[in-house]
Amino acid sequence: MGALMLQGTGSDVGKSVLVAGLCRALTNRGFRVRPFKPQNMSNNAAVTEDGGEIGRAQALQALACRVAPHTDMNPVLLKPQADRTSQLVVNGKVRGTLHAGNFREARRPLLGEVLASYRRLAEQCDLVLVEGAGSPAEINLRAGDIANMGFARAANVPVVLVGDIDRGGVIAAVVGTRAVLDPEDAAMIRGFLINKFRGDPALFADGYAQIEVRSGWRGYGLIPWLRDAARLPSEDAVVLERSASTRDSRTLIACPMLPRIANFDDLDPLKLEPGVSLAMIPPGQPLPADAALVILPGSKATIADLAAFREQGWDIDLLAHHRRGGAVLGICGGYQMLGRTIADPDGIEGPPRSATGIGLLDVETMMTRDKALRPARGRALGADITGYEMHMGVTTGPDTARPFAALETGPDGARAADGRVFGTYLHGLFASTALRRVLLARIGIASKGADYAASVDAALDAIAAELETHVDIPALIALAQEAQP
């Protein structure tokens, strides 16, 4: 058994993609590999076959290893639901709510459970590839840490530091991390990778050498900009801020960027359709009047996001869109918003309260503490469909008599009598080629019929091939095999 951990000089340096690419590269070499992230913070999550939830990135990394996702791959998941609170998920199940004030104290006792998950994974494989969170340079968060050096030292896993050259200052970022770390933490780092390089590598040869000299760590590779990473589902909503509203002559599908948007990778398969222009609408911009379909995405805090939706005037835009004959689809929290009322008397997502919905579906939602977490299969709009459910709340009302889907577990969602408004709790629905074809046909688009799963798998192979070329993978394998329990 061996193990290796990738930590970063900061957030969004590409750790998740590199771990996924290395998982595929090592799997292709014949190793049994498992991904692991001790603690994650994301509202983009995936349902596992053992009935829990983990970060979307770890589900993708499991796919790269050609194994099923499991809750042991991400034992602690924090899902932000307000400015200063997060839902705490441990071993795939909701354990409560963390506040900014008690976060450090609450996470410390979780290290034992994190290590237990890691050990169970390690027993199943040849190599565990571990992804850190944020950066070990955030030394103000070091006490009680379970995500970076706290885990690495407890599990005695060697670390490789990833720096992002595209954002600038990568020499200072790597060398500065070395400077601020506690000596025992710094000793866990054995080398570095430079990610997202554009241009002629010879131009950075001296900079690369300077990092080695000034940090005392060896370099394991200079990785080019991985264009195929754009074909992978993203876990971080930062990517939405960089790819906000795009407009062209194709049929427009619009999705508002809610403050607590969740599972926005539901929309990724639409990018495979040449007849679709997918526009993520940021705050401050109206919902476009020429959209054929408006999608209300999932939300980690439905009532709070509904209030934000109204503050932007998007409710007025949406009702005008519907009056013009446009179609509307609500997914999970978006489905709840389309109803007449949402009630949260027990304060599941924040303070106890109720809210009036947008009213395009004749349904009502009551928030409940029980969380539905399960894979889903069935038929919707006459097409076979697969996906997963991940939601709190029960929705009832006259429009549920016209369900969106007939799943193996029962009816799901609702349709308005006019046939232009749909709501569903089903995530991952657009990945089903047949359903995507049916939905797009309703707004006048002929689907290309591309296989989304095959596209993601091909992207993983392409990234793995790039890493084989630009990273000293044999040296990383040797380093990983130095890990001792």
Side-chain angles (χ1 to χ4, degrees):
M1 187 277 289
L4 181 68
M5 186 173 194
L6 296 192
Q7 296 183 18
T9 56
S11 297
D12 197 37
V13 299
K15 299 186 297 292
S16 296
V17 170
L18 293 185
V19 169
L22 288 171
C23 280
R24 177 54 61 89
L26 293 170
T27 298
N28 287 345
R29 283 177 173 237
F31 289 94
R32 296 174 302 156
V33 188
R34 298 293 183 272
F36 183 71
K37 185 160 187 172
Q39 173 193 298
N40 203 345
M41 177 174 280
S42 176
N43 277 334
N44 252 22
V47 172
T48 62
E49 291 187 356
D50 56 324
E53 58 179 312
I54 61 174
R56 167 59 56 193
Q58 282 61 65
L60 174 67
Q61 291 158 2
L63 176 65
C65 297
R66 299 192 175 96
V67 297
H70 192 278
T71 51
D72 278 339
M73 296 173 181
N74 178 205
V76 178
L77 175 62
L78 301 174
K79 306 187 75 173
Q81 58 187 22
D83 290 340
R84 298 175 64 86
T85 64
S86 293
Q87 184 182 76
L88 172 64
V89 178
V90 180
N91 295 324
K93 302 298 182 185
V94 176
R95 188 171 287 188
T97 300
L98 289 185
H99 300 270
N102 69 352
F103 169 67
R104 295 188 186 185
E105 294 74 18
R107 68 180 177 172
R108 194 187 307 265
L110 298 174
L111 180 60
E113 294 178 90
V114 165
L115 292 172
S117 289
Y118 167 70
R119 292 176 185 130
R120 286 192 292 268
L121 281 182
E123 291 171 357
Q124 305 169 16
C125 64
D126 305 312
L127 288 167
V128 180
L129 288 180
V130 186
E131 180 187 341
S135 171
E138 296 164 339
I139 54 177
N140 55 307
L141 302 177
R142 177 61 178 89
D145 169 63
I146 63 174
N148 289 305
M149 286 303 175
F151 168 80
R153 285 177 58 178
N156 198 27
V157 175
V159 175
V160 171
L161 188 69
V162 178
D164 178 359
I165 196 170
D166 188 61
R167 65 176 61 183
V170 73
I171 297 174
V174 177
V175 176
T177 298
R178 177 72 171 83
V180 301
L181 288 182
D182 173 272
E184 292 185 8
D185 284 353
M188 298 302 301
I189 300 180
R190 305 291 295 279
F192 62 88
L193 288 164
I194 302 301
N195 196 25
K196 304 183 186 179
F197 183 80
R198 307 175 194 250
D200 182 357
L203 298 177
F204 191 63
D206 184 55
Y208 194 88
Q210 286 291 326
I211 294 175
E212 290 188 314
V213 169
R214 293 172 182 270
S215 69
W217 299 325
R218 65 155 290 183
Y220 284 96
L222 179 63
I223 303 166
W225 185 273
L226 299 171
R227 300 189 182 280
D228 288 285
R231 297 160 60 192
L232 301 179
S234 177
E235 186 177 55
D236 195 334
V238 170
V239 73
L240 296 183
E241 297 170 8
R242 291 198 296 263
S243 62
S245 178
T246 58
R247 309 289 294 275
D248 56 35
S249 60
R250 296 172 295 169
T251 301
L252 185 65
I253 296 177
C255 175
M257 290 167 53
L258 303 173
R260 298 160 188 86
I261 190 171
N263 293 70
F264 54 84
D265 59 303
D266 285 339
L267 308 182
D268 283 355
L270 294 173
K271 300 173 185 177
L272 298 177
E273 298 291 349
V276 170
S277 175
L278 177 64
M280 303 301 298
I281 308 303
Q285 293 188 17
L287 297 181
D290 56 339
L293 171 66
V294 174
I295 299 174
L296 270 62
S299 167
K300 189 62 197 71
T302 304
I303 294 178
D305 271 355
L306 176 59
F309 190 87
R310 285 198 166 100
E311 288 172 4
Q312 295 296 323
W314 286 336
D315 57 329
I316 298 171
D317 296 341
L318 186 65
L319 293 174
H321 163 81
H322 180 253
R323 285 195 302 270
R324 290 190 296 267
V328 182
L329 171 66
I331 302 173
C332 201
Y335 167 35
Q336 295 172 342
M337 293 180 201
L338 288 176
R340 299 199 175 280
T341 61
I342 307 169
D344 187 7
D346 296 326
I348 305 298
E349 294 187 342
R353 52 186 167 173
S354 296
T356 301
I358 297 168
L360 290 178
L361 285 173
D362 192 3
V363 297
E364 299 179 346
T365 296
M366 176 69 69
M367 293 297 179
T368 60
R369 294 192 179 278
D370 293 333
K371 190 169 192 177
L373 290 168
R374 51 184 173 251
R377 295 176 180 82
R379 289 181 66 79
L381 306 181
D384 291 335
I385 189 169
T386 60
Y388 61 96
E389 292 183 64
M390 178 187 294
H391 66 91
M392 288 178 159
V394 175
T395 300
T396 58
D399 280 351
T400 62
R402 290 181 294 272
F404 176 81
L407 304 179
E408 293 174 354
T409 53
D412 163 77
R415 291 182 291 165
D418 63 14
R420 291 186 286 111
V421 183
F422 309 89
T424 178
Y425 277 120
L426 196 64
H427 290 288
L429 69 168
F430 288 117
S432 297
T433 304
L435 179 66
R436 195 167 71 244
R437 181 181 291 113
V438 170
L439 278 172
L440 292 180
R442 286 177 175 252
I443 58 173
I445 301 175
S447 171
K448 179 183 176 183
D451 186 328
Y452 177 66
S455 174
V456 171
D457 200 63
L460 288 169
D461 276 332
I463 291 169
E466 289 272 28
L467 297 184
E468 287 281 5
T469 300
H470 298 283
V471 175
D472 190 347
I473 290 181
L476 291 181
I477 294 171
L479 178 60
Q481 290 173 338
E482 295 180 16
Q484 297 295 322

